[in-house]
Amino acid sequence: MAHRAVFLDRDGTINEEVGYVNHIERFILLPRVGEAIRLLNQHQFKTVVVTNQSGVARGYFPESLIHQVHQKMLDLLKREGAYLDGIYYCPHHPDIGVPPYRQKCRCRKPATGLIEEAVRELALDTSRSYMVGDRGVDIEFAHQIGTKAILVLTGYGRGEWEYSRDQWKAEPDDVAEDLFEAVQWILQRESLKTNFKKGE
Ligand SMILES: [Mg+2]
Ligand SMILES: [Zn+2]
């Protein structure tokens, strides 16, 4: 049977939104993220990061930095007893930089290429899955791939929610303070944890 998954945006959802993580020292986990991902691990959700990293196409940092940053992310999570089942990124931009990074690719969110790869490699059922992110594009992406959509108010989330959600192409199913609260909502919805009340 195909697995259910929780897809996670990276910047602003897992780590502090700093514009571009153009140096490994700028990757800083947000509070309660380790605990949130550990809960997903414990409840047999495949936990998969899906991130646009156009800083490569823009010439801000080499693609190799993405691998270093992701190793740091895995190391920091491991210290909290948490792990990721997959990390998928898009280094492209449609109009900026030089080929091959400048291209109209199929993997830049809200396009669905990264998810198609993840679904194939990890045997996932998107109809039973969730997407969590801090931007309207993440919510649109969730609807494209047929998952439930949760907006977190960390990163760009609060500003996007207050000032630009009327421009969004899709509505979130839930709005959460942070990834930990988003995970609580998921577990409650799946009847895996029933003693949680929002705001507690
Ligand atoms: Mg983000
Ligand atoms: Zn791409």
Side-chain angles (χ1 to χ4, degrees), residues 11 16 18 24 26 40 42-43 48-49 52 54 78 80 86 93 98 105 107 155 160 164 172 182 191:
D11 301 336
E16 283 183 9
V18 294
I24 194 160
R26 280 162 53 92
L40 293 175
Q42 286 168 347
H43 289 285
V48 181
V49 169
N52 287 349
S54 71
K78 192 173 182 183
E80 307 212 34
H93 192 282
V98 292
C105 66
C107 51
E160 289 234 346
S164 59
S191 302

Side-chain angles (χ1 to χ4, degrees), residues 138-179:
D138 295 309
I139 305 307
E140 186 183 342
F141 177 68
H143 285 252
Q144 301 267 26
I145 62 176
T147 66
K148 290 275 177 282
I150 307 169
L151 179 79
V152 283
L153 295 176
T154 48
Y156 286 110
R158 195 175 305 278
E160 289 234 346
W161 183 243
E162 287 187 18
Y163 301 123
S164 59
R165 73 177 189 257
D166 54 337
Q167 296 154 37
W168 292 2
K169 294 181 181 142
E171 293 273 315
D173 296 284
D174 185 47
V175 179
E177 279 298 320
D178 61 6
L179 182 58

